[in-house]
Amino acid sequence: MNLFKIVSFLALLLLSSQIHATTVQLVRADDHGNLFVTEEGARELAKINIPISVVGVVGPLHSGKSFLLNQLMGDSSFKIGSTVQPETKGLWMSQNSKDSTSFSTVFIDTEGFFANNVSEVHDAKIFAVTTLLSSHLIYNTVKMIDQSAIENLQIPSHRVLARRTQLFRIRAEANSKESHQKFPEFKFPELHWLVQDFFQDLEGKTCTQWLHYLLKGQARDEGFNKLPGNTLDQIFPSTECHTFFLPASEKKQLRHLDELNESELNWEYLKELKDYKSVLERKINKSSVRFKDGVSFLSLLKAIVYFSNAGLFPSVPSMWEGFLEVQIEHSVTEAMGRLKDTVETELDSTDLSHLVSETNTPSPFDIEAKKTFNSIKNRVTANNLLEAEKKKAKEYIRKMLFGIESIINPAESKLGLRLLSTLDQYNTKFLKRIEEAIQTASLKVNAMDQKPEKEKAVPSAVLYASQEGRLRKMKNYFFELLNFKEPLIEKGWEELNAKTLGNHAIEKLSNQESIKLLFETEVKNIHDFAEKTFSTFVLDGKEPLPSDVWEKEKKLALDKVWNFWNSHLKDFKKEDLFDLYTQKAQNLVDQRENHHHEQNHKRSKLFLEGVVSECKRLSSKNRTQIENDMPMEEDQVAERLKTIFQKTKQEFHSKSKPFLKDPLMKEAQSNFDKMLEAVSKEVNDKNVEKTKEVCSSALLRAKSKLYGEGSKYYFAWSFRRFAKGVIMDELSTSIRSPNLKSEVANSFMEKDLGDELRNVGLSIF
């Protein structure tokens, strides 16, 4: 048994290694439920230029259609859903690239039937389109096949697929005598009914025998067998059944079958899959070819989708003539478009410049003879080309109308009428070519007037000298070419000379515009170069330059900028526009200089402000130790601050030294001094608060003495003076410094005493 598993696995692995496919969506539905052929699907079909056999798979939602196709093709072309939501929408196609060069196999995956929020009409459309396109139709179900499954596919009820799609009526009307001449034959496919996850006992019958047994039982239903063509074996030329065991045994594996290797699948499933692949490969051959090529496939697909959306399947024959007219017009228009593209490309490629030799001096008779001969030769060649393209156009029409051969002759007749008109147009073109050939000699001489490169400026003096030299060569060559006496030769030269001088005048004007454009371009370039040059020493991330250094660098930068200007325009200094554009360049350079000078000024100012900020952070860091030692007497605080400020001043002078002579230094010094004053005030205020905490008992005593005294005073300032005296007396034993004692008293009155007195209804402030 193990040996059998290994052999089966290797066989499938070998088959899958030979298959590579491209998958595209062929048909999708719009928001209104109508089907339409996708552009990518149409493009993919158009690439197929060999006969096509089609294998289509339909079936209920999540019955394993995509996984089955991947197994049959040996790759993972089609996406597999692992949730309750459908993964495949519409129709998807994949071409089997292991096909021979004689025909190709297209596999079609479809949206599952009976999904939530999807109408039965939509399911019927999917079923009908797939059935009418397929050479082999696979109906994929799960678990078992019984009477209800057959009824879902065929019984005459408004709730079932086959009835919805009207396949019975289509086949009956398509094969009737009345519609035989004008309606194409719909070739119904073989039906392969596949049952996944199957393990029931069929009581000694094969699965195909069991299917036919059920079909016969269905046909015996009352009244059903009286309707012709209403059973599956009457619709499809052959019907067979195949079963498959579970591909895997674990729930997690079954949810993610696309992630499993061949070795992880059940060996029984692999064996049954291999057997069915052998059956399918035998049936897919040249005799199962459904379409001549991708164009004919696409043509019929569009027709089926059109009738499916219109709900016209029961009366397709009566609607077919209108559709045929559209197909005739479309095929003729496409064929004529291809013919015109080819013929006109060939005509436009004709070159007559070789008619006049540069080394020989032919006579006028020889020149005219060569022109006429070449024109006639081109005309004969073009006529031969037209005949060949006519044949290709007819062949193209046959390809486009494959499967609806009854309209090929009308289409070719319509093509013939279009060709008559087109040939007249081309004959007129050929006559005009002969007239153009008469002017070849003059064109040859005129071609010598080689102009400078388009839109490239040339110094005016150089252009004038070039024009004079060209005109002399043209005259010499003209008379060398026509070195015989003829009054019209002088006149011809006069006309050519006048035309050339007119061209030279236009050339001069054009060159002036080019020179102007050159100057404008160089003005822009010098602007950019000036920006780049100044930016090299004034960059973000680099320290700003002091004013004296800036002046030195600016002079070097300006020298580079004007050397750039003069080197680029050295050949154009004598032009009238040179001074005007030099002034424009000067204005732009001045703008760049002023801009960068302003930027450097701002950055210098920011740099010095940063130095002050850094010094502030340094002093704040060093004052922490003072605050930890608080409270202390006023002279002690002053002495400690003096030491910190000495270090801070050293740091400030060290970092700002390059700007010592800069005008901005005065403002920076002022800001630095203000910063020191602010730090000093903050430290002293902190010392006052710390002192208040230590002297809290004395302050509470003073507050008790002052309670109720406010009502005895008419003026707040009088009470403040009295209160301060009381507080100072209480603090006399705790604080030595008079200034510190006064600051503590003032702070206590502002922050504590006033709130307390207001709470009892006294307002002294």
Side-chain angles (χ1 to χ4, degrees), residues 282-421:
R282 286 196 302 272
K283 290 179 176 290
I284 299 175
N285 49 48
K286 258 195 163 181
S287 63
S288 68
V289 164
R290 183 73 175 88
F291 300 101
K292 183 178 180 181
D293 54 20
V295 174
S296 60
F297 187 129
L298 181 60
S299 180
L300 187 58
L301 171 61
K302 289 180 178 178
I304 295 172
V305 168
Y306 168 76
F307 289 121
S308 172
N309 289 333
L312 300 175
F313 275 135
S315 56
V316 167
S318 63
M319 301 295 296
W320 188 250
E321 289 183 359
F323 179 76
L324 294 184
E325 287 298 324
V326 174
Q327 292 300 305
I328 290 173
E329 178 62 28
H330 177 67
S331 62
V332 171
T333 302
E334 286 284 321
M336 286 299 300
R338 294 164 67 93
L339 180 145
K340 288 182 178 180
D341 288 344
T342 304
V343 173
E344 290 179 4
T345 300
E346 291 295 327
L347 288 177
D348 292 340
S349 66
T350 304
D351 182 14
L352 301 177
S353 63
H354 63 283
L355 294 181
V356 180
S357 172
E358 296 185 5
T359 57
N360 300 322
T361 308
S363 67
F365 175 81
D366 292 334
I367 294 175
E368 294 301 323
K370 286 184 178 181
K371 291 185 204 175
T372 305
F373 174 76
N374 192 76
S375 298
I376 294 174
K377 181 181 177 183
N378 287 334
R379 188 174 186 182
V380 172
T381 302
N383 283 336
N384 292 336
L385 174 65
L386 282 172
E387 288 298 322
E389 289 303 314
K390 282 168 60 177
K391 293 180 180 178
K392 290 182 181 178
K394 290 181 179 180
E395 178 62 26
Y396 184 71
I397 284 179
R398 293 191 187 98
K399 287 177 64 177
M400 287 194 69
L401 302 180
F402 179 79
I404 41 179
E405 286 81 359
S406 61
I407 63 171
I408 290 179
N409 288 335
E412 289 182 346
S413 298
K414 195 167 189 175
L415 175 67
L417 293 174
R418 296 272 182 92
L419 283 172
L420 287 176
S421 173

Side-chain angles (χ1 to χ4, degrees), residues 131-145:
T131 301
L132 297 177
L133 289 175
S134 297
S135 309
H136 305 277
L137 180 67
I138 298 175
Y139 187 66
N140 197 56
T141 59
V142 181
K143 296 296 183 185
M144 65 183 299
I145 179 171

Side-chain angles (χ1 to χ4, degrees), residues 525-553:
N525 290 341
I526 198 173
H527 170 274
D528 296 342
F529 186 75
E531 174 66 26
K532 180 180 178 181
T533 303
F534 281 111
S535 297
T536 56
F537 58 88
V538 185
L539 290 174
D540 292 337
K542 293 180 64 176
E543 290 188 357
L545 301 178
S547 56
D548 54 340
V549 178
W550 162 262
E551 291 299 326
K552 293 178 182 178
E553 294 291 341

Side-chain angles (χ1 to χ4, degrees), residues 706-716 719 722 757 760-764:
L706 293 171
Y707 185 76
E709 293 295 321
S711 60
K712 299 177 182 180
Y713 289 85
Y714 291 103
F715 302 104
F719 180 72
F722 168 73
L757 293 178
V760 296
L762 294 178
S763 177
I764 63 174

Side-chain angles (χ1 to χ4, degrees), residues 167-168 227-231 234-235:
L167 290 182
F168 308 118
L227 299 176
N230 264 8
T231 59
Q234 291 174 324
I235 301 174

Side-chain angles (χ1 to χ4, degrees), residues 454-471:
K454 186 178 181 181
E455 297 182 356
K456 183 177 181 181
V458 178
S460 297
V462 175
L463 177 63
Y464 299 158
S466 171
Q467 289 179 340
E468 291 175 0
R470 280 183 273 148
L471 195 59

